[in-house]
Amino acid sequence: MTLTAKIKNILDPLKIPSKIDLKDALLQIDLTLEDLANLPIPFEGKPYNRKLLFKNDEVELLVMNWSQLECAPHDHGNSHGWIQVISGTSQNSIYEVKGKGLPKELFYQYHQKGQLFYAPKKAIHKMKASNNTDMVTLHLYSPPVTGMIVYDLEKCAACVVSDDCGAWWPDEQYQKVKEIKLNTKSNQ
Ligand SMILES: [Fe+2]
């Protein structure tokens, strides 16, 4: 069976999958770096480039190939999902936000090759490759991510980005679907 057929067999039956359903699906897919040929190289100045492996109305599976840059703090809209480290080591920072305040970094954690971590709905995080490792990560979200909010904490700014934009401040005006004014006093 090809990888594409295997992924489809596992993901197609999912309907409103729970946290555990998604984790089980990712473990069943059991993807390794050897399964992934011709990963897209990140563009200059961008933290990662991505390749869509599967998408239907319920779920999407993406692989991300990282540079040494950190992505911007962001959420995944109304989606939840799991991230699996396929290669390298990830440093994942978790934020807390109150209302429309400025997100505050709470802690970070490392995940090694093969490990998975959960991204709840509306949770804000950022990621980077740790210790100059060549990092590749696999992301399974439900439903497919739309309306992601990206933060620029230095500018105290946030915006909903278009679906073709990654976890970085948009380059193009059309990618800024909605700018959000942050209340910088609410977290003080
Ligand atoms: Fe993310």
Side-chain angles (χ1 to χ4, degrees):
M1 200 190 316
T2 65
L3 178 66
T4 311
K6 180 184 177 187
I7 290 171
K8 188 173 162 47
N9 279 350
I10 294 166
L11 297 184
D12 237 1
L14 297 175
K15 297 281 175 269
I16 316 176
S18 67
K19 177 180 176 181
I20 297 303
D21 293 337
L22 290 173
K23 185 181 186 185
D24 286 348
L26 212 43
L27 291 172
Q28 264 190 73
I29 291 169
D30 193 24
L31 200 88
T32 66
L33 195 60
E34 291 68 46
D35 296 319
L36 300 164
N38 305 319
L39 284 177
I41 305 296
F43 294 109
E44 183 79 39
K46 293 287 181 280
Y48 59 80
N49 202 342
R50 60 191 175 182
K51 184 178 179 180
L52 183 67
L53 298 181
F54 181 86
K55 185 175 179 177
N56 64 12
D57 290 345
E58 299 285 341
V59 293
E60 73 177 333
L61 183 69
L62 297 144
V63 61
M64 296 186 185
N65 189 20
W66 292 74
S67 67
Q68 296 304 313
L69 297 172
E70 190 164 49
C71 71
H74 63 280
D75 71 5
H76 303 128
N78 279 317
S79 303
H80 69 134
W82 288 83
I83 299 162
Q84 183 176 34
V85 180
I86 300 295
S87 166
T89 300
S90 151
Q91 183 179 328
N92 181 44
S93 304
I94 309 292
Y95 287 80
E96 170 188 64
V97 69
K98 289 179 185 137
K100 284 199 175 171
L102 210 55
K104 196 167 117 191
E105 189 174 333
L106 289 181
F107 62 90
Y108 59 84
Q109 48 193 181
Y110 295 104
H111 296 94
Q112 318 288 338
K113 181 179 168 180
Q115 291 186 309
L116 298 92
F117 56 97
Y118 183 60
K121 259 180 210 181
K122 300 290 180 195
I124 300 168
H125 79 136
K126 69 175 179 183
M127 288 173 65
K128 69 173 180 181
S130 170
N131 281 329
N132 298 317
T133 52
D134 283 329
M135 185 164 79
V136 174
T137 52
L138 184 66
H139 302 240
L140 179 61
Y141 300 118
S142 178
V145 176
T146 187
M148 184 165 96
I149 297 177
V150 172
Y151 293 85
D152 181 334
L153 298 182
E154 270 151 38
K155 290 187 198 147
C156 297
C159 67
V160 177
V161 300
S162 59
D163 295 349
D164 66 334
C165 184
W168 50 80
W169 196 255
D171 296 318
E172 306 290 339
Q173 193 58 38
Y174 83 87
Q175 293 176 315
K176 294 179 191 168
V177 173
K178 188 183 165 197
E179 298 208 39
I180 300 165
K181 191 119 188 73
L182 295 181
N183 180 357
T184 52
K185 291 204 173 124
S186 69
N187 253 13
Q188 287 173 1

